[in-house]
Each structure stands twice: as structure tokens, then as C-alpha cells.
Amino acid sequence: MIEKVATNSEIVSTVTKSMLEASSHVSFDVKQEISYSKSIAVTNLSQCIRDMKKATIEFKSNVKTDVGNLVKIHEAIQKKDENL
């Protein structure tokens, strides 16, 4: 006998909403450019700032991907259970 795998629409909805909401609060914006010096320290700091901004953008994108995958898994489980 094949058993159904349970999934819960309400929980999936809550989790995905929470993930997207939490990621919307993550940002990294520079308020003022550092341009007073061409020193190695300033150059390295500027690179770190660019890297951090890129990382936050990638994080948000990855959260959206994770949410999409969670929804697809949920839908696949529902469809499979309906066909049993």
C-alpha cells in the first residue's frame, strides 16, 4: 500500500511569506562614497563594501529561489497525493 506524504498549505504559505519578509529587511547601501584617499586601506574597504552589497543582492535572489522550490515541492506532493 502506498501512503500519502502530508504537506500543509497554511504552513508553506506562512514559511514562504516569512522568508520573503525577512529578506526584504536585509540591505546594504552606502550613504557616502569613500573617495578621500587612494590608499590600500581605502581601496580594500571599498572592495569589501562592493562585495557586501553583491552578497546581499545574491542572498535575496537565493531566498526567492528557495521559496520557489519550496512551493514546487509542496505542489508536487499535493499532486502526487491526489493521484493516489
Side-chain angles (χ1 to χ4, degrees):
M1 180 173 139
I2 299 174
E3 294 187 34
K4 290 186 175 186
V5 176
T7 184
N8 185 309
S9 297
E10 187 176 322
I11 290 172
V12 171
S13 177
T14 300
V15 168
T16 57
K17 181 181 176 187
S18 296
M19 289 172 69
L20 291 172
E21 184 178 337
S23 72
S24 73
H25 297 290
V26 176
S27 65
F28 192 85
D29 295 318
V30 178
K31 296 184 181 198
Q32 187 173 359
E33 187 175 323
I34 301 169
S35 60
Y36 63 84
S37 173
K38 297 291 182 189
S39 73
I40 293 173
V42 171
T43 300
N44 288 342
L45 178 60
S46 296
Q47 183 61 50
C48 287
I49 291 169
R50 286 191 296 275
D51 291 346
M52 189 67 174
K53 185 166 181 102
K54 181 181 175 189
T56 57
I57 291 168
E58 288 177 4
F59 169 75
K60 288 181 177 189
S61 176
N62 291 338
V63 167
K64 288 179 186 176
T65 299
D66 288 348
V67 165
N69 288 339
L70 179 59
V71 170
K72 286 178 187 176
I73 291 166
H74 168 70
E75 291 170 349
I77 291 170
Q78 280 186 319
K79 185 175 180 180
K80 183 70 174 174
D81 284 351
E82 288 170 5
N83 293 331
L84 291 179

